[in-house]
Amino acid sequence: MEGVDDSNMIICRCEEVLLRDIITSIQNGAETLKAIKMETRAGMGICQGRTCRVLLEQAMTFYTNIDIREFNNVSYKNPVRPISLADLSQSRKDPS
Ligand code: FES
């Protein structure tokens, strides 16, 4: 948008990556989502891209004119949380 500075918009809240970090990465030569991810850590936080992936793809499309269908080369993992065996065994006894 013209006249609006949205460079402080958060793209990845887990890793505190702003739009300007993504733009800088692209200006520094990043041509793929994987390259941006490696440089900025966007998408590598606790959500593992579940919430930020769309924003990242939109930013990449807007600032590079690369077709969004070419972004399939990035893998995203489901968010997981470690659980102790004690908690796991307890959950079986207490279904609540
Ligand atoms: S918001 Fe940070 S990894 Fe998705």
Side-chain angles (χ1 to χ4, degrees):
M1 279 186 274
E2 208 168 304
V4 176
D5 180 17
D6 53 4
S7 62
N8 286 327
M9 181 173 73
I10 296 173
I11 299 295
C12 170
R13 63 183 174 209
C14 326
E15 296 294 330
E16 299 179 1
V17 179
L18 304 176
L19 179 59
R20 72 167 169 251
D21 300 322
I22 304 299
I23 295 169
T24 300
S25 180
I26 291 168
Q27 289 171 340
N28 289 340
E31 295 178 335
T32 64
L33 280 179
K34 187 173 184 178
I36 291 174
K37 193 173 164 181
M38 292 299 129
E39 187 172 328
T40 65
R41 294 196 49 84
M44 298 175 79
I46 196 163
C47 101
Q48 290 292 297
R50 201 170 175 182
T51 57
C52 56
R53 179 182 186 170
V54 173
L55 287 174
L56 191 55
E57 289 174 346
Q58 288 174 346
M60 184 81 179
T61 300
F62 186 80
Y63 289 100
T64 66
N65 293 323
I66 295 174
D67 191 323
I68 201 164
R69 289 172 289 198
E70 296 177 25
F71 296 155
N72 294 336
N73 61 347
V74 176
S75 65
Y76 288 90
K77 299 175 180 68
N78 291 324
V80 292
R81 207 173 340 156
I83 183 170
S84 72
L85 289 176
D87 289 344
L88 190 61
S89 67
Q90 193 65 23
S91 68
R92 205 170 173 119
K93 294 174 188 168
D94 181 17
S96 58

